[in-house]
Amino acid sequence: MRSNGIDIRSNEGERRGLLAGSQACADYQSAATTNVSLDVVPVHQLPPLNDHHHKEEDRWQLPLVSQRRPTAAATTSSVSRRISNKRVFTSSSFVHYLGVASLVLLLAMIGYISSSSSSSSPNDNLKDKESAELWTTPALLSWAINIPFVTPSTSPPQPNVIVNDDDDDGDDASSSQQHNNKDPSSPQKMMIHRIYTKCGIKRRVVVSNATRQFPSYSNLTATTATAKRGKGDDSGVKTNKYVVSYDGRSLLLNHKRALFLSGSLHPVRSTWDTWNMALDEAVAMGLNMITMYTVWSHHQPLLSPDDPNVPGPINWSLPTSNNIPTTTNNKDTNNTNTNDDEGEGECQDEVVDGKWELADAIREAGKRGLFVHLRVGPYICAEYSYGGIPSWVPLVTWGNHTNNTSLSSSSSLPLTNDNHVMSMRRPNAPWMQATTLWVKAITSYISQHNLWAHQGGPIVLGQIENEIGNETLPGTGTMQGYANWVGQLAQTLEPNVTWTMCNGLTSPNAIHTCNGGGSDCSKDWLERGGQTGRIQVDQPALWSEHEMGFQIWGDDPNHASDYVSGRTARSVARHALRWFARGGSHMNYYMFWGGYNRGAMAATGITNKYAAGAPLCPSGQRHQPMFDHLTALHTLLSHELASILLHQPSATNNNYANRTMNGIHVKTPWGWALATEQRAILYQHAGKKVMFVENDATEDALIQLPQGKNGISTSVMQLDMVAESVIVVINGVARYDSGRVDPKALTYSRKIISLPRKRSPEQPQQHLLDSWYYWPEIIGAKIGPDTTVSIRPLEQTEMTVASREVTDSAWYETAFAVNEDMVNASLAIETTQGCAMSVYVDYRFVGSANHHSHTEGPVVLRVDMGDIGLGVHTLAILSETLGYFNLIGRWGASTTAKVKGITGAVNLTGITDYGVFHTNLITGPRSWQSSAGLNGQTNLETVLSSIRSQPGRLLPEVTSFKRSTNNNDASPPSSSSSSSYFGTKPGMTKPATWAMTTFTTPSYDPAQRSLMVDITSGRGRLWLNGHDLGRFWNITQSKTNESSPSPSSSEIVYSQRYYFLPPDFLFSDDKRPNELLLFNALEGNLTSINLVLTSIVHGEQGTLNDDIGDPMSCL
């Protein structure tokens, strides 16, 4: 069933986020009263009005507000008036309406019979057989006599829902609910949500018909195509091209004003299935746009294998999946806005390597009616390692190896003084050349696939660069000059695109947009005309990042070390309303859905899960109650407020005084006083009056609103407002309160089921982590040409770039001599923030240290080594980069190449009989061996092949061992002792251990549940069937026990313990087991690793509240 556009499955309600069950728009009834007293009913005590599960007579009839009226006679003098959104008729008109009702009923019956026998439906564009159910008697009644059909509420027309229950419990919760509040004066607003099977793969497609002021891409292009094929067009070819423009009030599509609700999601942090799921959820939450980055470092990660100064090839593919069907139109550049229905010859049986690419991601958005704001870089920030810039970019000698076209449009641009060395994001010749190559590549790619709006594609906006600061530069170059140049570069390459630039300096040809998480955008930025002074003058107010926060390893979510970990739904809704009240016409949630940082994506200190405070959890489940609370807001904005707001000038600039109400009073202990922290902003159009009533006080407030402005009435309205909230009032009815969450949205809980590890008699073919294979990492630098021998250790970034490997690990090795026994020895390693070091003496693990804050700069890591005896010893150091800092060239971040690994001195200190011993291992006649990557990756496939060929047996000894590993002796392992290093039983493992297990995919519905692996020991990397899932770490929010393999306290809250296993990375048949591989740099406990199924369940009592940092709210 469906309640106002939100799906609800079975009574138990176990489902993922797309099965949310609260109402989308919190309409509340009001009743006028003739009493002189000012009775007040708080908003949170009122039930939702438009819940179709209740009969009309069962609905509560409590007033939201009290209105003071002059006399009782004055309130009853009209023939009919509104009470509780229903018509109340006088007795003198009863006979008249009875006759009209009879006529209406007769005409409706005739219309119903006629429509049933007709061979075509009024809605021919809907191909589903269920679409005929949309045309019901109430709609026909309204058409028959050309009057609105009287409905029990003023809520927007409700979506038609066709939901297919495919969960594995066998019940059938399919339902089709029709709500056709058809008003002949405006087009029907509806949504068709369909689930069907295409080419053997379950797909979900949402087609949305939006309003004129809140358009969808599919509607706009269909209308445009029809209009283009007018008189004189005999080509017979349909074109979907449309025009994007703007003025000081809003963006315009085909010269008509449009309001946009957008959400950020990144295809590189997704898979094919999760991307499509997130797009469906964007539509379900009421969005009509998505915003996405293109990540340079993902598409061009390596240098050319033939030349260390030539960039490698660009690959536009995205994370591969195991189950993407091949269709004949999959790469059709002119098929963006189709409904993707099944047709003859469209499907083929084979699957081509599960590959999809950037253009496919954009097309899938268009197929759902979503517009796209494409942010092309080159720098994106995004808590992405290196800000999305490939690490090789500042290391290349830029010059004659490619066409030097970057300065062709900037010959007169003053440059910085250091043009022989790259200075990223500066008017610097090497950087400008690199920027041009990337921007030209991405814009050309989009053009080749016809994805820009002027080509008929869904991309209505493009963003160039990101958050350019105004730092002082050496020489004559300026940051404004750089901003102008990069804006002109984009315009030169794509002159028909509407370009934006965000949160900083902006080129005159680009729209300046705001990034921020609260009043910095929703009030301050707007009221001063942005940072350029042009906002709401000749450029519209676009909020490119309504920021929702991110998570850092070891952070306390309520006291984040950098920025914010998350925000409450109430805060997000409040600032959204403040934004639109002051003239905003576009808002984008950053993020709407974060996904996961796989591989080496995560910036310094950022967790594997990304943006867990967003409306959609990284796993794809809905973040409740935020999802429902914001969906209600979006429904109100799109269906009712957009048409009112965009027909009026904004409330800022010269119009502010005309839009704000005077005479608001607030109740104090001493009586009513003139309000100073409360206000009401007014809009009026087509007989509707909208008030945004704001309470900026940090405490609750009871306020009085005079209703006599513009002669509407002389009544008084009272509102009981919670602290820091906004209430939307339409024609005297409070329709939405940002500060009070619908109680229905507070009835959700997290359910986690640990799956059994052993085979069950009922399902003997299934096995879930019942056996592990583990073997040691070879300690120390590699043997062979991949290792560099030098007098100093190599800097890790340069070493990794030169190796053409995508890795965050490196080995260093050297020798040192101790002339006498030493106690309390320690090693101090100069490195950079966001790095971990594990130290081995004579191939035995002695200790580890790390720095994981979200920042950059030099740091010294100290590792206690215990006692070291007389003699010559081998020192090996495993360096792990915990991501590169994502900031570049602003807020103190560097503009030169970022360094990792050993970057300075390595000081050995201890106590001997003669005093303190100290030596710098970097100086003196000593050689260092440095190699990028882990040794285990070299022979990994050999080991895995052995496991596959001889399941259940001990692994053969790896003959390539050159030395012992993390055991207690320094001799190479012998065959007799190989079981000490190669095990098949789960248990405790030493640092630097590889482990692998197999499991069959359990039977579950990914639309309702998420399969995850629960890891609470160690730190390392995780792979599923060859896909790099990124970093795991058992660090806790209190930064304790991060290296303990078996934490004893049940109350420990980890920064992250559950790691999502994407359904399209899994093998679905029992004949091919899944392989889960991990490398653990610290001690581990394989018995603590479990597979779990998790879901959000709906019940009478929920445990998920509107709080920040609840570890169960989003996984």
Side-chain angles (χ1 to χ4, degrees):
M1 54 188 172
R2 170 161 315 247
S3 176
N4 288 352
I6 299 179
D7 299 324
I8 307 173
R9 290 286 171 102
S10 63
N11 291 334
E12 296 300 323
E14 184 170 322
R15 83 275 187 286
R16 72 178 320 174
L18 62 88
L19 307 175
S22 76
Q23 74 175 43
C25 185
D27 288 344
Y28 298 98
Q29 296 192 34
S30 69
T33 178
T34 59
N35 297 333
V36 176
S37 62
L38 298 174
D39 298 326
V40 176
V41 178
V43 174
H44 68 278
Q45 296 179 6
L46 299 178
L49 174 63
N50 50 340
D51 185 346
H52 62 266
H53 303 298
H54 299 286
K55 296 181 180 179
E56 176 64 23
E57 59 268 24
D58 294 334
R59 294 179 181 167
W60 296 4
Q61 302 296 318
L62 296 179
L64 170 67
V65 296
S66 296
Q67 296 182 350
R68 187 193 298 273
R69 298 181 182 271
T71 62
T75 63
T76 59
S77 60
S78 60
V79 174
S80 64
R81 61 183 173 83
R82 278 286 198 182
I83 295 182
S84 301
N85 295 321
K86 293 182 285 186
R87 289 285 185 185
V88 179
F89 304 107
T90 62
S91 60
S92 62
S93 60
F94 176 76
V95 175
H96 168 73
Y97 281 99
L98 182 60
V100 171
S102 300
L103 176 60
V104 166
L105 182 59
L106 177 61
L107 292 174
M109 293 175 64
I110 295 172
Y112 181 79
I113 295 172
S114 175
S115 63
S116 300
S117 60
S118 175
S119 60
S120 62
S121 167
N123 200 20
D124 288 330
N125 63 313
L126 301 178
K127 299 180 181 180
D128 298 287
K129 62 181 182 180
E130 295 90 346
S131 64
E133 300 176 7
L134 294 173
W135 310 102
T136 57
T137 301
L140 291 170
L141 283 172
S142 64
W143 295 340
I145 58 175
N146 199 30
I147 61 172
F149 181 73
V150 179
T151 59
S153 78
T154 59
S155 62
Q158 304 304 309
N160 176 77
V161 185
I162 303 168
V163 177
N164 185 19
D165 183 15
D166 290 306
D167 58 287
D168 18 305
D169 57 14
D171 64 340
D172 184 7
S174 303
S175 64
S176 180
Q177 302 289 343
Q178 294 84 26
H179 301 265
N180 295 275
N181 301 334
K182 180 79 175 182
D183 186 342
S185 63
S186 63
Q188 172 83 357
K189 297 180 278 279
M190 62 186 176
M191 181 188 302
I192 295 88
H193 189 168
R194 298 175 295 160
I195 301 179
Y196 65 95
T197 298
K198 176 177 177 61
C199 309
I201 303 300
K202 183 188 293 184
R203 299 282 299 282
R204 183 171 292 104
V205 176
V206 179
V207 182
S208 174
N209 291 340
T211 64
R212 176 179 297 179
Q213 283 77 34
F214 188 76
S216 75
Y217 168 67
S218 53
N219 266 22
L220 178 70
T221 52
T223 303
T224 304
T226 302
K228 294 288 185 181
R229 297 184 67 189
K231 185 177 180 181
D233 183 2
D234 57 358
S235 64
V237 177
K238 204 161 70 168
T239 175
N240 299 325
K241 298 177 182 178
Y242 55 101
V243 177
V244 181
S245 57
Y246 61 87
D247 60 15
R249 185 66 183 93
S250 72
L251 293 169
L252 297 101
L253 302 182
N254 286 340
H255 314 293
K256 296 178 181 178
R257 298 203 180 283
L259 183 141
F260 292 97
L261 295 173
S262 178
S264 283
L265 54 162
H266 302 154
V268 297
R269 283 174 164 136
S270 69
T271 65
W272 172 257
D273 281 355
T274 57
W275 177 255
N276 282 278
M277 170 278 305
L279 294 177
D280 291 333
E281 290 294 74
V283 177
M285 203 176 81
L287 306 184
N288 64 342
M289 175 185 279
I290 65 163
T291 300
M292 53 185 286
Y293 278 125
T294 60
V295 185
W296 186 4
S297 60
H298 175 85
H299 295 292
Q300 197 176 21
L302 303 174
L303 288 172
S304 166
D306 303 320
D307 191 328
N309 278 316
V310 174
I314 294 178
N315 184 348
W316 297 110
S317 65
L318 293 166
T320 57
S321 300
N322 295 334
N323 58 355
I324 299 178
T326 299
T327 60
T328 56
N329 67 353
N330 192 40
K331 301 293 185 271
D332 183 357
T333 59
N334 293 308
N335 195 37
T336 307
N337 66 319
T338 65
N339 290 344
D340 202 23
D341 289 321
E342 291 186 86
E344 293 185 6
E346 189 175 346
C347 295
Q348 299 176 4
D349 294 332
E350 68 271 17
V351 174
V352 183
D353 298 331
K355 292 182 179 178
W356 62 303
E357 61 180 58
L358 183 61
D360 297 316
I362 298 171
R363 287 194 195 96
E364 288 300 319
K367 290 176 182 178
R368 289 159 171 80
L370 294 165
F371 295 100
V372 176
H373 184 185
L374 188 68
R375 310 171 84 179
V376 303
Y379 167 73
I380 65 169
C381 189
E383 289 70 59
Y384 203 97
S385 188
Y386 231 114
I389 297 171
S391 56
W392 53 260
V393 167
L395 301 178
V396 168
T397 302
W398 293 90
N400 297 326
H401 66 274
T402 187
N403 294 329
N404 190 359
T405 59
S406 64
L407 304 181
S408 60
S409 61
S410 59
S411 57
S412 61
L413 177 65
L415 305 177
T416 55
N417 291 337
D418 54 349
N419 284 299
H420 60 287
V421 176
M422 175 172 285
S423 184
M424 294 179 287
R425 308 188 66 214
R426 293 293 185 263
N428 165 273
W431 169 252
M432 293 163 71
Q433 183 177 356
T435 295
T436 300
L437 291 174
W438 167 249
V439 176
K440 187 174 182 179
I442 178 60
T443 53
S444 297
Y445 172 81
I446 297 300
S447 295
Q448 291 166 8
H449 289 272
N450 295 330
L451 296 173
W452 301 112
H454 66 272
Q455 299 173 310
I459 303 175
V460 294
L461 295 171
Q463 178 183 299
I464 186 70
E465 252 283 1
N466 194 77
E467 299 180 332
I468 300 176
N470 195 20
E471 289 79 11
T472 302
L473 304 180
T476 58
T478 66
M479 288 306 296
Q480 184 61 59
Y482 170 68
N484 294 348
W485 171 81
V486 76
Q488 187 58 46
L489 171 66
Q491 198 68 44
T492 300
L493 293 172
E494 285 296 338
N496 296 315
V497 174
T498 299
W499 290 98
T500 68
M501 297 177 74
C502 68
N503 190 24
L505 300 180
T506 301
S507 173
N509 66 292
I511 301 175
H512 174 57
T513 68
C514 190
N515 291 359
S519 294
D520 45 353
C521 281
S522 68
K523 185 176 184 295
D524 303 339
W525 187 87
L526 273 175
E527 292 181 356
R528 67 173 184 264
Q531 294 167 270
T532 61
R534 297 176 60 184
I535 303 306
Q536 301 195 86
V537 177
D538 67 338
Q539 291 186 344
L542 311 183
W543 194 349
S544 47
E545 291 189 14
H546 190 166
E547 296 179 351
M548 315 293 280
F550 49 83
Q551 292 69 50
I552 299 172
W553 293 113
D555 255 14
D556 178 349
N558 291 290
H559 302 88
S561 61
D562 182 29
Y563 204 58
V564 294
S565 178
R567 296 170 61 204
T568 66
R570 291 160 293 164
S571 172
V572 173
R574 175 201 177 204
H575 289 291
L577 287 171
R578 285 159 62 95
W579 171 262
F580 286 108
R582 287 163 175 77
S585 58
H586 161 285
M587 181 186 67
N588 174 67
Y589 295 110
Y590 189 91
M591 301 286 292
F592 164 69
W593 174 62
Y596 294 89
N597 287 306
R598 300 188 178 93
M601 294 179 182
T604 300
I606 301 298
T607 56
N608 182 292
K609 61 183 179 181
Y610 181 56
L616 201 63
C617 296
S619 64
Q621 296 166 339
R622 292 179 177 178
H623 182 184
Q624 298 290 12
M626 176 178 285
F627 192 98
D628 284 4
H629 193 51
L630 296 182
T631 300
L633 170 62
H634 302 158
T635 304
L636 189 66
L637 279 166
S638 61
H639 289 290
E640 297 197 59
L641 296 186
S643 59
I644 301 171
L645 298 179
L646 294 186
H647 275 95
Q648 297 292 308
S650 75
T652 52
N653 299 331
N654 297 330
N655 301 309
Y656 187 73
N658 296 327
R659 293 270 175 234
T660 53
M661 176 183 291
N662 297 319
I664 300 177
H665 286 74
V666 61
K667 187 68 176 291
T668 70
W670 305 277
W672 293 97
L674 197 63
T676 58
E677 295 182 288
Q678 296 78 26
R679 72 193 59 79
I681 300 175
L682 311 177
Y683 287 86
Q684 202 167 343
H685 175 71
K688 286 192 175 181
K689 175 185 175 183
V690 176
M691 290 191 298
F692 295 85
V693 187
E694 302 178 350
N695 177 24
D696 288 347
T698 56
E699 56 192 20
D700 296 356
L702 180 63
I703 67 171
Q704 279 187 6
L705 298 171
Q707 296 292 283
K709 191 175 181 68
N710 299 327
I712 293 177
S713 74
T714 58
S715 62
V716 172
M717 175 184 289
Q718 283 191 6
L719 290 177
D720 179 13
M721 303 189 70
V722 299
E724 297 180 321
S725 66
V726 180
I727 293 178
V728 179
V729 179
I730 303 178
N731 288 349
V733 179
R735 300 294 300 282
Y736 185 86
D737 186 345
S738 71
R740 291 185 172 97
V741 177
D742 186 340
K744 285 186 177 181
L746 297 172
T747 57
Y748 299 102
S749 301
R750 167 75 59 185
K751 183 177 181 180
I752 299 178
I753 302 174
S754 293
L755 300 179
R757 302 175 65 94
K758 301 292 184 181
R759 291 177 173 88
S760 65
E762 294 80 11
Q763 294 180 308
Q765 76 281 5
Q766 278 204 352
H767 60 281
L768 304 171
L769 309 190
D770 58 351
S771 62
W772 282 89
Y773 303 84
Y774 53 96
W775 61 99
E777 163 76 356
I778 302 174
I779 306 302
K782 299 176 181 178
I783 295 177
D786 293 333
T787 295
T788 300
V789 179
S790 57
I791 61 172
R792 298 175 61 88
L794 297 184
E795 189 275 319
Q796 186 171 341
T797 305
E798 290 191 16
M799 180 167 50
T800 303
V801 167
S803 72
R804 306 328 194 256
E805 288 191 39
V806 179
T807 178
D808 59 3
S809 301
W811 276 108
Y812 297 98
E813 185 176 349
T814 191
F816 67 93
V818 175
N819 296 327
E820 54 187 282
D821 293 343
M822 183 167 54
V823 299
N824 298 328
S826 67
L827 197 69
I829 307 168
E830 292 186 0
T831 181
T832 57
Q833 300 176 48
C835 192
M837 298 285 181
S838 297
V839 177
Y840 295 78
V841 175
D842 298 328
Y843 312 120
R844 292 178 300 178
F845 177 79
V846 295
S848 179
N850 71 81
H851 184 282
H852 52 262
S853 297
H854 183 234
T855 183
E856 72 177 359
V859 70
V860 177
L861 296 182
R862 289 180 170 83
V863 176
D864 292 333
M865 304 171 67
D867 299 341
I868 299 177
L870 172 70
V872 178
H873 301 276
T874 299
L875 173 69
I877 301 174
L878 174 62
S879 172
E880 303 169 73
T881 70
L882 304 180
Y884 291 92
F885 196 36
N886 53 284
L887 294 183
I888 296 177
R890 195 174 184 189
W891 295 298
S894 66
T895 62
T896 55
K898 296 181 181 294
V899 295
K900 289 289 182 178
I902 299 177
T903 59
V906 178
N907 291 310
L908 175 63
T909 304
I911 306 297
T912 69
D913 291 340
Y914 295 94
V916 176
F917 173 87
H918 174 85
T919 183
N920 184 354
L921 301 182
I922 298 299
T923 61
R926 182 178 287 107
S927 68
W928 281 84
Q929 301 172 60
S930 308
S931 60
L934 295 167
N935 290 300
Q937 291 174 296
T938 304
N939 62 352
L940 181 60
E941 191 54 40
T942 301
V943 176
L944 295 180
S945 296
S946 177
I947 295 174
R948 297 178 191 125
S949 63
Q950 303 180 66
R953 296 180 58 185
L954 289 178
L955 299 177
E957 181 180 350
V958 177
T959 58
S960 61
F961 269 110
K962 68 171 183 178
R963 58 180 73 90
S964 176
T965 57
N966 41 16
N967 55 312
N968 294 323
D969 61 74
S971 61
S974 64
S975 58
S976 61
S977 62
S978 63
S979 59
S980 301
Y981 315 107
F982 301 95
T984 59
K985 296 181 179 180
M988 303 296 292
T989 59
K990 298 181 175 66
T993 295
W994 292 84
M996 192 273 274
T997 186
T998 60
F999 65 94
T1000 53
T1001 303
S1003 176
Y1004 76 104
D1005 184 356
Q1008 299 186 33
R1009 303 178 181 93
S1010 296
L1011 180 64
M1012 295 187 163
V1013 58
D1014 178 9
I1015 304 178
T1016 56
S1017 63
R1019 180 188 66 236
R1021 294 290 283 273
L1022 189 67
W1023 291 263
L1024 173 64
N1025 294 327
H1027 300 282
D1028 191 342
L1029 300 185
R1031 183 172 293 108
F1032 70 87
W1033 198 354
N1034 74 324
I1035 189 171
T1036 66
Q1037 292 183 359
S1038 59
K1039 301 183 181 181
T1040 60
N1041 300 308
E1042 61 260 33
S1043 60
S1044 172
S1046 300
S1048 58
S1049 174
S1050 61
E1051 298 181 356
I1052 288 177
V1053 179
Y1054 297 93
S1055 293
Q1056 183 175 351
R1057 65 179 290 179
Y1058 299 104
Y1059 299 86
F1060 182 62
L1061 304 181
D1064 43 349
F1065 284 0
L1066 296 168
F1067 297 123
S1068 58
D1069 59 277
D1070 294 334
K1071 297 179 181 179
R1072 188 173 183 183
N1074 301 287
E1075 294 180 353
L1076 187 66
L1077 172 74
L1078 62 85
F1079 170 77
N1080 197 339
L1082 304 176
E1083 288 185 324
N1085 183 1
L1086 297 177
T1087 60
S1088 67
I1089 300 177
N1090 293 293
L1091 290 179
V1092 301
L1093 283 172
T1094 178
S1095 58
I1096 301 292
V1097 295
H1098 177 63
E1100 294 183 0
Q1101 298 292 329
T1103 60
L1104 300 181
N1105 298 311
D1106 189 24
D1107 299 324
I1108 298 174
D1110 181 353
M1112 291 293 102
S1113 63
C1114 267
L1115 301 181

